[in-house]
Amino acid sequence: MSIERITSRQNALIQQVRKLRTSRSERYKTGLFCADGTKLLQEAIRWCEGLHTVILSEELEIPKLPEHVRVCVVTKELMEYASGMGTPQGALFLCRMPKQDREVSLSAGTLILDGLQDPGNVGTILRTADALQIPVVLSSGCADPYNEKTVRASMGAVFRTPPVQLSREDILARCQEQGLQLAVTAMSDDAVDLRKSACNSYAVVIGSEGQGVCKEYMDAAVARLIIPMDPRCESLNAAIAAAIVMWQMKQ
């Protein structure tokens, strides 16, 4: 395994890392995404067939890597320049995005995320879904699952269970074709207590904390579900609400 040493901020790979970290369009144009951290790197080595390039601070020991992986060593200062973390752990790496099966089918017991823009929430939901073996689909307006913050919050779930992304129109069409019923979480008077509903018989939509579920899903839903809570509390964090729904799906 050959090891490259990079010393310049103007190096093409360093500049590519900075673009991939900050630009969704760059990620999808190149089919690559960037992740940061030694723990995540170990997860990628174990689970990600698309591990492409590893960049390490010179003080770190080089882990055992697949033969095809490009390995580069940089100074601590250059790592700080390339990384998005305040205190980098000394490992950056690039992965190829897995190809999504465009014919993926939806099933009862699937969680659909609608307009969740916070990468931390989306990553946490992917992590929880991976642990509980709940299928998740990211619908329109969601944070990019390959954003570095989403990947970090997922704690490797994006490597173990590649995210599925579909448009609202595509999801609604597939539900109709497959006879799959939708349920939505909603703070409405006609919403049914989550504990009294067979959540695993629906595909359940969770909306953003600010906007809730979009009108298209609300109109298509056959059931509205509510998580019981103290009336003085307005709402739950989206990732917490999703975890409660997923737990109920497993019951």
Side-chain angles (χ1 to χ4, degrees):
M1 176 176 61
S2 61
I3 301 172
E4 302 174 42
R5 183 169 294 275
I6 298 175
T7 58
S8 171
R9 291 188 174 191
Q10 304 310 313
N11 177 273
L13 176 59
I14 299 300
Q15 292 303 313
Q16 182 184 34
V17 165
R18 286 171 62 85
K19 284 184 181 178
L20 291 173
R21 282 186 39 243
T22 58
S23 171
R24 181 171 186 156
S25 62
E26 183 71 15
R27 291 191 288 272
Y28 285 86
K29 181 177 76 174
T30 60
L32 292 169
F33 66 98
C34 180
D36 201 324
T38 53
K39 169 65 175 173
L40 273 181
L41 175 58
Q42 289 301 322
E43 291 294 310
I45 292 170
R46 184 176 180 186
W47 298 105
C48 182
E49 294 181 1
L51 182 60
H52 180 276
T53 301
V54 173
I55 305 169
L56 299 169
S57 288
E58 54 192 1
E59 69 271 13
L60 287 190
E61 182 178 345
I62 297 173
K64 185 176 181 180
L65 295 164
E67 286 296 323
H68 69 273
V69 175
R70 179 184 179 186
V71 183
C72 302
V73 173
V74 298
T75 63
K76 179 180 178 181
E77 290 73 24
L78 195 51
M79 177 60 68
E80 290 174 349
Y81 172 75
S83 172
M85 298 178 71
T87 307
Q89 297 176 14
L92 282 166
F93 56 98
L94 306 185
C95 298
R96 295 197 181 280
M97 294 181 188
K99 291 184 178 180
Q100 179 170 303
D101 180 5
R102 302 312 302 177
E103 300 304 316
V104 62
S105 61
L106 303 181
S107 60
T110 294
L111 187 73
I112 298 170
L113 307 185
D114 178 44
L116 270 65
Q117 297 179 347
D118 183 86
N121 278 340
V122 172
T124 299
I125 292 169
L126 293 175
R127 178 183 181 182
T128 306
D130 181 54
L132 295 177
Q133 295 184 308
I134 297 289
V136 175
V137 176
L138 277 66
S139 180
S140 304
C142 283
D144 180 11
Y146 300 109
N147 177 302
E148 62 176 354
K149 293 179 181 178
T150 312
V151 175
R152 191 179 306 137
S154 83
M155 290 299 290
V158 295
F159 307 134
R160 296 186 293 269
T161 308
V164 174
Q165 301 181 77
L166 294 171
S167 68
R168 287 172 183 152
E169 294 75 15
D170 203 0
I171 288 171
L172 290 171
R174 293 185 192 208
C175 286
Q176 187 170 21
E177 291 168 5
Q178 297 166 208
L180 178 61
Q181 293 184 318
L182 278 181
V184 297
T185 54
M187 302 282 287
S188 60
D189 294 336
D190 61 346
V192 176
D193 187 323
L194 186 74
R195 298 169 297 180
K196 299 177 181 178
S197 173
C199 292
N200 55 11
S201 64
Y202 305 113
V204 181
V205 184
I206 294 251
S208 67
E209 294 173 43
Q211 302 298 322
V213 175
C214 71
K215 186 178 186 300
E216 294 94 323
Y217 287 138
M218 292 288 281
D219 290 345
V222 299
R224 299 186 183 190
L225 309 176
I226 190 168
I227 298 171
M229 66 182 81
D230 193 301
R232 66 186 178 182
C233 299
E234 182 179 340
S235 65
L236 289 170
N237 169 273
I240 298 298
I244 293 171
V245 170
M246 287 188 282
W247 178 258
Q248 193 64 29
M249 283 177 169
K250 301 295 289 187
Q251 302 311 303

